[in-house]
Amino acid sequence: QTLVPLEADADANALASAIRAGFAGDDTALERIPTGAGTDFQRRVWNACRTIPRGETRTYGAIAQQLGGGHALCRAVGQALRRNPLPIVVPCHRVVAGNGLGGYAGDVGGKLAQIKRMLLALERSPPSAPC
C-alpha cells in the first residue's frame, strides 16, 4: 500500500488547518468538519456538544434535557460521548458530571481524565498565536 504524503491530500490539509485554527481559538473552523458515522442519537449528542462555547461546560443531564429526554438519558449521553470518533472536532471534554469531572473516553480517574482536565484548563486560558 502506498502512503499519500500529507501535502498531497486536500482533505487532510483542510482538517489539519481547521484543528490548528481551533487550537488557536477559532471554533468556527471546527464546525465545518462533519462528525462522521454514528447512530442518529449519537450524532444528536455530538452536535449538542459542539454548541458548548470554548471555556464553558455542560452536564450530561443538561445535554440529555436539551435533547428532550430529561435525566433518564444521562447515561446514554455519556455512552454516545464515549464513542465520539473526533474528540478535537466534537469537544466532549466540555461535558462534565453533575458532581464533578465525569469521564473522558470511558476513563474516570486515569490518564484520559488528566487530559480532560488539561483541555478544560487550556480552553479557559486566552488563545495563543496560531502554530
Side-chain angles (χ1 to χ4, degrees), residues 39 41-46 60 67 73-85 90 92:
T39 67
F41 179 75
Q42 288 170 337
R43 287 191 307 273
R44 288 176 54 220
V45 170
W46 300 337
Y60 296 100
L67 298 177
L73 281 183
C74 289
R75 185 174 297 270
V77 167
Q79 291 301 314
L81 293 176
R82 183 178 187 171
R83 289 173 177 79
N84 174 10
V90 178
C92 55

Side-chain angles (χ1 to χ4, degrees), residues 24-104:
D26 180 10
D27 284 337
T28 61
L30 296 174
E31 291 171 2
R32 293 187 294 274
I33 299 170
T35 57
T39 67
D40 180 57
F41 179 75
Q42 288 170 337
R43 287 191 307 273
R44 288 176 54 220
V45 170
W46 300 337
N47 287 331
C49 187
R50 291 176 88 170
T51 67
I52 304 169
R54 174 182 296 274
E56 294 183 21
T57 59
R58 300 290 183 273
T59 63
Y60 296 100
I63 298 293
Q65 287 184 324
Q66 181 180 340
L67 298 177
H71 283 339
L73 281 183
C74 289
R75 185 174 297 270
V77 167
Q79 291 301 314
L81 293 176
R82 183 178 187 171
R83 289 173 177 79
N84 174 10
L86 299 169
I88 298 297
V89 176
V90 178
C92 55
H93 61 278
R94 295 177 186 163
V95 182
V96 298
N99 62 351
L101 186 67
Y104 190 58

Side-chain angles (χ1 to χ4, degrees), residues 11-27:
D11 289 338
N13 280 335
L15 178 60
S17 177
I19 289 171
R20 279 193 299 274
F23 275 117
D26 180 10
D27 284 337

